[in-house]
């Protein structure tokens, strides 16, 4: 199913990074959704994971991961752990992954799954990810997997020089993927695929409700 997912959903839509394609062939996505949903785990769509939240569409995981330009040496911060699937893909491709989830039940389930799958380079924390993880900063890469009105200021402060942020930015109900790169000459911004994510709720995100 994973081979099929990669060859029908990712390659034809332009995902080229061989390491990303290989990682998505390896990570058992069906173990990141409820048993009752396992037969739909490789569908071309986001799926519910409880608490009103979703595991992102495989293509969206692939695009965001490719935009991060991971080589294997990076320290990555993810905001929005959800099921833990994106964190597992990142863990295959980077040195260390720190991921924050605001919903306790989801954070706990993700910790359990990642432990059972022996991902030893991922740390999960429960809390408001818009504040970042100051004790572990700076991060070489930051990925926000929830819709954000803008990049939260604390996350910009926690990005290393030459760091990259990938985030769906825009309105609460539709966004566009933004890739931001810090360089010696300032900040470069590129807009990519339109997308629809659940909202980033927090001090530097949307208000609840
Ligand atoms: N990356 C996830 C995965 O692989 O399953 C999917 C993430 S889901 C689209 C967005 C997640 O962001 C939800 O689980 C939601 O609870 C979480 N979230 C929203 N606001 C947050 C915040 N301020 N801090 C941390 N997590 C947040």
């Amino acid at each position: 199913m994973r081979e099929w997912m990669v060859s029908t959903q990712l390659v034809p839509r332009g995902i080229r990074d061989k390491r990303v394609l290989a990682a998505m062939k390896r990570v058992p996505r069906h173990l990141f959704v409820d048993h009752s949903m396992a037969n739909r785990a490789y569908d071309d769509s986001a799926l519910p994971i409880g608490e009103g939240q979703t595991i992102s569409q495989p293509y969206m995981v692939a695009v965001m991961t490719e935009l991060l330009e991971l080589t294997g040496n990076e320290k990555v911060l993810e905001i929005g752990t959800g099921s833990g699937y994106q964190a597992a893909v990142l863990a295959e491709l980077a040195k260390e992954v720190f991921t924050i989830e605001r919903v306790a039940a989801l954070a706990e389930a993700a910790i359990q799954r990642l432990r059972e799958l022996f991902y030893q380079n991922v740390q999960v924390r429960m809390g408001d990810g818009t504040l970042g993880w100051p004790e572990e900063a700076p991060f070489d890469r930051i990925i926000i997997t929830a819709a954000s009105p803008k990049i939260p200021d604390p996350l910009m402060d926690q990005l290393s020089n030459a760091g990259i942020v990938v985030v769906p930015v825009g309105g609460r109900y539709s966004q566009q993927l933004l890739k931001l790169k810090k360089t010696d000459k300032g900040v470069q911004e590129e807009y990519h695929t339109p997308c629809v994510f659940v909202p980033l709720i927090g001090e530097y995100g949307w208000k609840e409700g």
Side-chain angles (χ1 to χ4, degrees):
M1 290 297 276
R2 291 201 284 282
E3 291 277 346
W4 173 84
M5 173 186 83
V6 167
S7 64
T8 62
Q9 299 170 29
L10 309 188
V11 175
R13 291 187 182 128
I15 305 298
R16 290 283 169 269
D17 186 328
K18 288 196 170 53
R19 295 181 71 241
V20 173
L21 296 172
M24 293 197 55
K25 281 184 192 170
R26 276 196 300 274
V27 179
R29 185 172 160 94
H30 60 285
L31 300 181
F32 289 83
V33 296
D34 189 72
H35 292 310
S36 61
M37 205 82 72
N39 62 340
R40 294 177 55 199
Y42 298 96
D43 286 3
D44 188 14
S45 63
L47 290 173
I49 54 170
E51 312 288 333
Q53 305 303 328
T54 53
I55 177 173
S56 307
Q57 178 194 25
Y59 171 64
M60 206 42 74
V61 174
V63 176
M64 293 180 87
T65 309
E66 187 170 65
L67 289 173
L68 288 174
E69 300 178 21
L70 296 168
T71 65
N73 298 319
E74 298 81 6
K75 186 170 183 179
V76 182
L77 175 66
E78 179 196 23
I79 312 304
T81 315
S83 67
Y85 176 71
Q86 172 79 71
V89 172
L90 295 169
E92 297 270 344
L93 297 168
K95 187 167 168 207
E96 284 179 291
V97 179
F98 295 82
T99 179
I100 309 177
E101 171 56 54
R102 71 182 278 275
V103 178
L106 295 178
E108 282 157 21
I111 290 170
Q112 175 85 4
R113 278 189 196 110
L114 292 162
R115 189 181 297 141
E116 282 168 9
L117 291 168
F118 303 106
Y119 281 105
Q120 289 175 342
N121 58 342
V122 184
Q123 287 192 49
V124 183
R125 166 190 269 194
M126 202 210 65
D128 177 4
T130 69
L131 304 173
W133 195 318
E135 311 88 288
E136 288 294 342
F139 296 96
D140 304 307
R141 303 289 186 265
I142 298 179
I143 172 172
I144 307 178
T145 62
S148 189
K150 66 185 273 279
I151 301 179
D153 294 339
L155 299 186
M156 280 307 287
D157 295 341
Q158 292 173 34
L159 184 66
S160 68
N161 294 333
I164 296 176
V165 184
V166 174
V167 51
V169 285
R172 198 158 166 151
Y173 302 103
S174 78
Q175 310 86 35
Q176 201 160 5
L177 277 190
L178 167 65
K179 171 177 175 172
L180 177 149
K181 213 173 190 171
K182 249 190 200 175
T183 70
D184 296 343
K185 298 184 192 109
V187 162
Q188 281 175 4
E189 291 188 353
E190 278 172 18
Y191 283 88
H192 293 264
T193 330
C195 49
V196 178
F197 276 78
V198 294
L200 180 75
I201 311 263
E203 193 169 328
Y204 292 85
W206 298 100
K207 299 293 159 246
E208 197 152 21

